Amino acid sequence: MEPMGIRKYLAIFRIYTKVSLMMAMEYRSSFFVELAVELGYTAWFVFFYLVLFDNISAIGGWTKYEVLFLAGLSLVIMELLVGFVFVWGTRILPEKIKDGDIDYVLLKPIHPLFSLTMGRPYLSALITTIPGFVMMYIAWRELQLLVSVQQIMGSIFLSICGLIIGYCLLAIPALLTFVFENAQLLPRVGFSIVDYATRPHTIFAGVWKFVVMTFVPIAFIASVPSEILLKGMSIHMLIQGSVICCLFVYLTVWLWNTMARRYSSAGS
Amino acid sequence: MKLYLLALRNFLYTELEYRSNVVGLILMELLGLGSVLFIFGDAFRNQETIAGYSRSDLLNYYLFMPVIGFMTQVKLSDALGYQIKDGKISHLLLKPLYMSGWHLMKILGSKLVLLSICLPLYAIILWFASSTGIDMPLLSLQGILGTLLVVIGAFALHYCLEYMISGLAFFMDDVWALEHFKNIVIGVLGGLSFPLAFLPGAWQVVFEILPFKFLYYTPLLYVIGKRDIQSIAGDLLGLGFWMIVFVGLAKLVWSLGLRKYGAYGN
């Protein structure tokens, strides 16, 4: 069988999204309840930062509106990860492995990891990316930012890398459930790690700074892309971010190949 | 009573089977804790106090938060809500015991397993934190007993709240959302995100009136020594009042719900 290109995967993903949209429209009341829950979590997130900045003037050298911009970008990326990967993907993977429910996926002519983690987008989360864009807009306006095209392109490129790194950080702990069967909280541990992306990376010092820039590169999910836009272009960060992104994709695929061999199909 | 104790024993055995989830829970608590500690660790480089909280006050507030959470947290509405929605509580309705008592034993079973594993592990973390130079709070015997009373009251209050919320599943389809709404409310109003003293004055008055502060904020104030032990009587009275309210509401919701319950699911 010929290996499928990225265009084919995009076409399949479009079909997944279309099916999810049809389902959401069929059960409209559920869709609006999901939306209310997502908006509730967003309101909590925003409230935390508002109260925080009532009491302090800066976090890690970032002012209120700089942090608001970061919070907005991280909200967009987090909601994309929640919507496309977490809710109907990595979160329920332990249960599927325990019940021996992934046989059918393994037979499909697409990468099983793609199908298992992104096969059913949760569209309510995608709508709650809107408050994130609003927060970025307000912050940009208040900061009266003037940015170069290179900064914008660099920031968008690193945000895409950040999204991919976030995907890998969600997938890696979830894949460990092939070993620790029914460890249903492992995917949530991954989510808790990715949640650090909402903080400026400059709050980390010493060994922690090294960790968040390399082994657990949460800094590249939203903080570094925001920094490029807010504080200036850094070629070094662009290179480091893209190299780390490639390494994490390789690591995730390798982990899948290693872990999937442990799958017995019988359930437990 | 013997029936309830037997139920408790069975639930204890069931919970022990899934110990790996307890380890996952501790990891999540530590990650959440680290997330706020990094922020406030940085904030205290520029200022001595935040809303009257010194560095060690605030570090202790967040460090002890998981301990209070292990004791006061109750998760019932999600599972019980689905059982109600799917018409799967019929066998429990036929048993010669109260539904609320049966579920209380279930929660106590998981709580005992959680505490027996989490507290010793967390004690090591606290010891490690104190060895890095964080001033741990000193509690008197009265302080410990008082805090324990408030924590037990908070657990009971949380149970009543969860049992009441579970009953709402008789009237709605999307029961999964109930727990999320509760988490958001407690996250904001219960002192889970930050001490309520961080809020502007007018907001504090409103938040102080509501019952959610008892679940995290009030016990934590006793632990870090920010609340005088003399206030315990008032707090227990407040807890008692809100428990009566939630017990009343739970009874109302469940009696109306059971009339509607058809055992075939909805």
Side-chain angles (χ1 to χ4, degrees):
Chain A
M1 196 186 309
E2 235 179 87
M4 287 202 293
I6 194 143
R7 209 177 282 178
K8 188 78 182 168
Y9 275 97
L10 284 174
I12 293 170
F13 187 64
R14 208 181 62 224
I15 296 167
Y16 284 155
T17 310
K18 196 175 154 190
V19 171
S20 287
L21 186 67
M22 282 160 67
M23 281 167 75
M25 288 304 104
E26 197 174 343
Y27 301 101
R28 255 170 267 182
S29 67
S30 299
F31 177 75
F32 287 115
V33 171
E34 287 166 7
L35 197 60
V37 168
E38 289 302 322
L39 286 173
Y41 278 116
T42 306
W44 178 7
F45 176 71
V46 175
F47 189 68
F48 173 75
Y49 277 109
L50 289 179
V51 172
L52 199 63
F53 273 101
D54 263 357
N55 294 281
I56 60 175
S57 54
I59 303 173
W62 294 47
T63 60
K64 181 180 176 178
Y65 287 105
E66 286 173 342
V67 171
L68 187 69
F69 186 89
L70 164 64
L73 179 61
S74 61
L75 187 66
V76 171
I77 293 177
M78 291 292 286
E79 289 297 330
L80 288 174
L81 288 171
V82 166
F84 285 130
V85 185
F86 182 69
V87 173
W88 296 118
T90 56
R91 187 182 65 94
I92 55 168
L93 191 59
E95 208 175 324
K96 284 183 176 173
I97 294 169
K98 179 180 76 94
D99 297 340
D101 274 350
I102 62 172
D103 308 16
Y104 181 58
V105 178
L106 295 172
L107 296 172
K108 286 184 181 178
I110 52 170
H111 200 288
L113 189 58
F114 171 75
S115 186
L116 280 170
T117 54
M118 299 176 74
R120 190 177 158 193
Y122 172 75
L123 297 173
S124 314
L126 305 186
I127 294 174
T128 41
T129 55
I130 296 168
F133 286 113
V134 173
M135 285 157 74
M136 283 195 280
Y137 169 74
I138 294 170
W140 194 316
R141 198 189 57 195
E142 291 297 322
L143 290 165
Q144 297 181 329
L145 271 180
L146 292 172
V147 293
S148 65
V149 178
Q150 288 98 313
Q151 276 175 283
I152 296 174
M153 298 303 283
S155 181
I156 291 173
F157 173 74
L158 267 189
S159 298
I160 294 167
C161 288
L163 197 61
I164 296 168
I165 290 171
Y167 171 85
C168 297
L169 290 174
L170 284 178
I172 289 169
L175 290 178
L176 295 178
T177 49
F178 278 105
V179 182
F180 306 103
E181 272 186 21
N182 203 30
Q184 297 196 3
L185 288 179
L186 264 178
R188 289 172 194 267
V189 170
F191 190 78
S192 298
I193 293 170
V194 174
D195 198 40
Y196 274 67
T198 57
R199 315 310 198 208
H201 66 282
T202 43
I203 62 170
F204 302 100
V207 69
W208 292 112
K209 189 177 177 183
F210 180 70
V211 169
V212 301
M213 300 293 278
T214 52
F215 296 119
V216 191
I218 43 115
F220 288 97
I221 296 177
S223 183
V224 175
S226 300
E227 191 183 43
I228 281 188
L229 210 59
L230 299 170
K231 304 185 183 216
M233 186 70 170
S234 160
I235 298 292
H236 167 249
M237 284 295 175
L238 278 179
I239 296 168
Q240 190 177 339
S242 39
V243 169
I244 285 176
C245 176
C246 294
L247 284 175
F248 265 77
V249 170
Y250 178 79
L251 176 69
T252 308
V253 174
W254 172 81
L255 197 66
W256 163 263
N257 292 334
T258 311
M259 290 294 170
R261 277 186 219 128
R262 303 179 70 103
Y263 179 65
S264 66
S265 172
S268 67
Chain B
M1 190 63 197
K2 198 178 167 191
L3 264 175
Y4 290 106
L5 288 175
L6 278 171
L8 176 64
R9 193 193 66 183
N10 290 339
F11 288 129
L12 264 172
Y13 289 154
T14 313
E15 285 296 323
L16 275 169
E17 207 177 327
Y18 296 107
R19 289 180 299 268
S20 64
N21 280 334
V22 177
V23 178
L25 183 75
I26 293 181
L27 272 175
M28 279 170 61
E29 291 286 351
L30 287 179
L31 285 165
L33 182 68
S35 180
V36 281
L37 289 186
F38 277 116
I39 282 193
F40 287 111
D42 179 80
F44 276 108
R45 279 185 205 137
N46 306 318
Q47 54 198 96
E48 289 285 304
T49 59
I50 300 174
Y53 280 70
S54 67
R55 183 176 175 271
S56 60
D57 285 339
L58 208 58
L59 287 179
N60 281 320
Y61 183 88
Y62 286 110
L63 267 175
F64 282 91
M65 189 179 278
V67 179
I68 299 296
F70 293 147
M71 296 190 219
T72 62
Q73 227 173 45
V74 178
K75 282 185 189 290
L76 177 69
S77 56
D78 196 35
L80 183 54
Y82 273 107
Q83 284 177 13
I84 293 169
K85 182 178 166 282
D86 298 340
K88 288 180 179 167
I89 56 163
S90 312
H91 70 291
L92 286 175
L93 292 171
L94 296 173
K95 285 184 195 284
L97 37 73
Y98 288 108
M99 178 82 97
S100 52
W102 170 263
H103 282 101
L104 181 62
M105 292 303 122
K106 189 174 183 176
I107 296 293
L108 276 177
S110 70
K111 183 90 17 205
L112 288 175
V113 171
L114 183 81
L115 290 177
S116 63
I117 299 173
C118 288
L119 285 186
L121 285 175
Y122 205 75
I124 298 170
I125 292 162
L126 288 177
W127 172 79
F128 178 74
S130 72
S131 70
T132 59
I134 298 169
D135 295 328
M136 287 285 146
L138 298 169
L139 288 171
S140 64
L141 182 63
Q142 285 165 311
I144 293 169
L145 292 175
T147 309
L148 268 178
L149 274 176
V150 173
V151 164
I152 292 167
F155 166 75
L157 179 71
H158 203 162
Y159 178 75
C160 295
L161 175 66
E162 275 280 287
Y163 192 67
M164 190 267 289
I165 292 173
S166 309
L168 295 175
F170 287 111
F171 311 97
M172 57 192 290
D173 293 329
D174 295 293
V175 289
W176 63 272
L178 295 171
E179 198 193 342
H180 289 280
F181 284 127
K182 188 204 78 176
N183 288 344
I184 294 165
V185 169
I186 292 175
V188 177
L189 308 177
L192 201 58
S193 299
F194 39 75
L196 298 185
F198 278 31
L199 293 162
W203 286 70
Q204 271 186 54
V205 176
V206 178
F207 282 31
E208 280 283 343
I209 295 168
L210 297 169
F212 307 104
K213 63 172 183 175
F214 290 117
L215 303 181
Y216 282 93
Y217 183 59
T218 308
L220 279 166
L221 287 188
Y222 282 109
V223 172
I224 65 170
K226 280 256 171 201
R227 199 168 181 92
D228 196 54
I229 197 72
Q230 317 281 319
S231 318
I232 203 105
D235 284 333
L236 290 174
L237 223 78
L239 270 166
F241 168 77
W242 282 109
M243 266 170 67
I244 292 168
V245 170
F246 283 124
V247 167
L249 281 172
K251 278 197 166 181
L252 180 72
V253 169
W254 273 81
S255 66
L256 290 174
L258 282 172
R259 268 184 235 167
K260 197 174 174 287
Y261 180 67
Y264 44 76
N266 56 8

